[in-house]
Amino acid sequence: MLHVRSIWNGAISFGLVSIPIKLVNATENHSISFRQIHTEDGGRIRYRKYCELEDREVSSQEIGKGYEDSDGTIIPITDEDLAGLPIPTAKTIEIVAFVPEDRIDPLQMDAAYYLQAGGAPAAKPYTLLREALKRSKKVAITKYALRGRERLGMLRVVGDAIAMHGLLWPDEVRAPEGVAPDTDVTVRDKELDLADALMDTLGEVDLEDLHDEYREAVEEVVAAKAAGETPKEAPAPEAGGGKVLDLMAALENSVRAARESRGEEAEVKQLPQRRTSRSSPKDTGGKKSTSTAKKKTTSSPRKSTSKTSKASQSEKKATAKKTPAKKSAAKKTASRKRSA
């Protein structure tokens, strides 16, 4: 922290207590920046500041501020005009209230800063404010001026330091009108169960393990080009970014893929399907179903064979009894014809 350059010097106004502090950036940008070049010869492309009226390049000392009115008229505004404005927070971070942290909408979060105690005299009041914030489990809402405008802020404890988050003013946060789907959608409990299973499978993650893979790939490309080598081709993206036709199948596949990536069992329990009239046999009034008869036939082949043989014998006897009856009927018919 001692090697970080402060961007603002002032004091925290905590009632009648004044805490000298230095404002330093709490974050840093690691993104890779590129220069614009002329593709034919690699020459740098630079922008020069020209005056439209005189058609000549001007230096930074000749450049000031101007407000463009609705009709296009430019109204010059000097630093003296802004310096005379009655801003009580010009060099002071004024604490206006203490509220629970969950009262702050994350949409209002802006840039983050660390507040560094400004010398030995600030150590005691700095520590007092820090411990008061810890014990109250609240955050301090502040007003301060930075880069020519008054801003809203929030103080909270980070480790042994006090951090300040710049906040957007409430009227700077848009309402989410017209963002949510405007059609009526019904989400079933089974779909919610699978979504919960996917959330449980993904679990938590240590944010320290996350890194910018795109920046690393760009660095590899730059290193390869600098060494006169051909950059490696990036692997093709996995398919499946199209329209989801079956939400249940997509959820089940997601749970399975998440478990496989964690080395867990990939089995996903199927949800019970709805019973239909085809799958549930009707009551036939005491008659045995075909499937039951097949099971009994398969399990006891000897008994079924004996039953079959008995049945065939009884059929033969019945046939034998019917045969003489037919013959006697034929004899009676023949004797009637002769007598006639």
Side-chain angles (χ1 to χ4, degrees), residues 210-287:
L210 302 179
H211 56 278
D212 189 350
E213 297 180 1
Y214 177 79
R215 178 174 60 86
E216 294 176 354
V218 173
E219 290 176 348
E220 292 179 359
V221 171
V222 173
K225 297 274 287 186
E229 302 173 356
T230 303
K232 297 180 181 179
E233 293 184 3
E238 296 181 1
K243 185 177 179 181
V244 178
L245 299 179
D246 190 344
L247 181 58
M248 295 290 290
L251 287 170
E252 290 177 356
N253 293 335
S254 299
V255 174
R256 185 179 295 106
R259 289 180 178 174
E260 288 178 351
S261 65
R262 292 177 175 271
E264 301 175 1
E265 295 181 0
E267 181 182 358
V268 179
K269 294 183 179 179
Q270 298 290 338
L271 295 175
Q273 299 179 352
R274 296 180 180 178
R275 293 186 177 182
T276 59
S277 58
R278 294 181 180 179
S279 60
S280 55
K282 297 181 179 180
D283 188 7
T284 55
K287 293 183 180 181

